[in-house]
Amino acid sequence: MHIFIAITTTLLLLLVEQYVVCANKSSTASVKQCENDQLCVDISLCEKLSKYKGDIIGAAICGSDHETEHRKICCQVPLENKINTPDCGLPTENRILIPTYNLYENPWMALIRDWRKRIFCSGTLIAKSFILTAASCVFASINGSSVRVGEYHLSRKVDCLNDGFECADPPLDVAVVAFIAHPKYDPITRENDIALLKIVPVDFSKSVRPICLSSDWQQRGSLVGWHSSSLPSKTIVSVVGNEKCTQTVEEYNDGTRKMYDKICVRMELSGDCEDSRQFTLPGSSFQVGFHPDGRLVQQGLWLDTSYCVKSERILYGVLTNVTIYMDWIKNTTEYYGFDQKEDGNLLPTPIF
């Protein structure tokens, strides 16, 4: 008799547990609205909450999957996947409109290197484990690549100030885990030319820090990145009407390219697009300063010199407009690691 009761009790507990965890169309359990730093995912995908049972899971239920009928629960976004953290966009001094680039000024700038350690692109650190760059510049060279953060002078092992009395930490090389191109990127027309690199997470420091992202807009800022010399460059640029680029850049003038996802900028320097000062690596950052806190926000991505043209002694360039991709960036970074099916092309699609 005691054995029968024990077996019956065990079966009842299992049924109750299954009822809490799995979806039941007739269930009256309350549905929770997840917090801003949480995701509503299948319980099997949330490692932290899947270790608990009963009331803890019940209190975290946020919905159910229509196909599998499994419960979905509020799960914390991994810290390394978060963008716009409190320390984003904070340089040691705001020199956004000063045409020289100092140590510590842009601690989010990153170099992308191939398997032979040759530099071929720039990028920006936007989270502990994500680099923002152009899809076109890394599409064919990403296998075996790595990212260097905390770099300033390429010919020095350690960067210092004040005759060596203050030195930055040595630059850090980290492996690329996945290359995530925008799902609608077109390598022929260069539409949606934006990508994310998932890297091994890095720790933030004075020389390694993420830049902020926003859908807000400003008209003047700086284009920052490396070129043919050992030091990074900074060019002051102003956003102009897109008609300037459609009138001057050949690929846009003949109607084969679209400007809906691009911005046209005027570069405030003399010379030609091919000059060493202007030969900025693809994936470099067009960033602006926001007040009152002085944070720097990335608005654009430099493509390459083929999208730069000189007209009446003025240089114009075409950049990817980062601000219109905020939803894709946020959803891709937050959901990475949760192997769900794609929903509206918001989830990452790694090539390897």
Side-chain angles (χ1 to χ4, degrees), residues 91-238:
T92 53
E93 55 181 329
N94 192 341
R95 295 164 42 86
I96 189 72
L97 297 179
I98 300 175
T100 56
Y101 185 163
N102 289 343
L103 180 63
Y104 299 129
E105 187 180 343
N106 294 281
W108 35 83
M109 293 308 300
L111 290 167
I112 305 172
R113 307 193 300 173
D114 64 18
W115 64 277
R116 293 181 178 178
K117 308 302 181 186
R118 295 177 302 188
I119 299 167
F120 61 93
C121 282
S122 287
T124 47
L125 188 70
I126 62 171
K128 284 180 176 288
S129 60
F130 279 98
I131 297 291
L132 180 67
T133 188
S136 56
C137 74
V138 295
F139 198 83
S141 307
I142 198 62
N143 287 315
S145 66
S146 62
V147 168
R148 170 167 285 194
V149 294
E151 181 61 279
Y152 176 64
H153 200 299
L154 297 180
S155 63
R156 298 174 182 169
K157 292 184 178 180
V158 179
D159 297 315
C160 298
L161 295 172
N162 303 322
D163 296 324
F165 285 100
E166 179 185 358
C167 295
D169 295 332
L172 180 65
D173 293 317
V174 293
V176 174
V177 176
F179 166 49
I180 308 164
H182 190 278
K184 294 184 179 179
Y185 166 61
D186 188 327
I188 298 176
T189 65
R190 302 285 285 272
E191 293 177 79
N192 303 298
D193 195 349
I194 188 169
L196 292 165
L197 300 183
K198 175 69 169 65
I199 61 172
V200 175
V202 298
D203 293 325
F204 296 153
S205 65
K206 190 174 182 179
S207 55
V208 178
R209 191 178 297 162
I211 195 168
C212 300
L213 299 174
S214 174
S215 57
D216 293 333
W217 190 258
Q218 289 202 31
Q219 293 297 117
R220 195 161 180 248
S222 59
L223 177 64
V224 177
W226 280 268
H227 46 73
S228 56
S229 68
S230 297
L231 284 170
S233 67
K234 181 164 68 172
T235 302
I236 308 304
V237 299
S238 299

Side-chain angles (χ1 to χ4, degrees), residues 45-105:
L45 301 176
C46 187
E47 181 180 358
K48 181 179 179 180
L49 284 180
S50 63
K51 296 177 181 178
Y52 300 96
K53 307 296 179 184
D55 292 341
I56 295 179
I57 293 178
I61 292 174
C62 56
S64 61
D65 188 284
H66 295 297
E67 294 183 5
T68 64
E69 297 189 353
H70 288 174
R71 289 290 189 196
K72 298 173 74 174
I73 58 176
C74 293
C75 188
Q76 199 74 20
V77 175
L79 180 61
E80 63 268 21
N81 290 13
K82 290 184 179 180
I83 63 173
N84 289 337
T85 52
D87 45 7
C88 77
L90 292 174
T92 53
E93 55 181 329
N94 192 341
R95 295 164 42 86
I96 189 72
L97 297 179
I98 300 175
T100 56
Y101 185 163
N102 289 343
L103 180 63
Y104 299 129
E105 187 180 343

Side-chain angles (χ1 to χ4, degrees), residues 318-335:
V318 178
L319 288 75
T320 294
N321 184 353
V322 172
T323 66
I324 68 172
Y325 294 101
M326 280 301 301
D327 287 343
W328 176 76
I329 294 171
K330 185 174 186 294
N331 282 283
T332 301
T333 53
E334 288 185 349
Y335 273 96

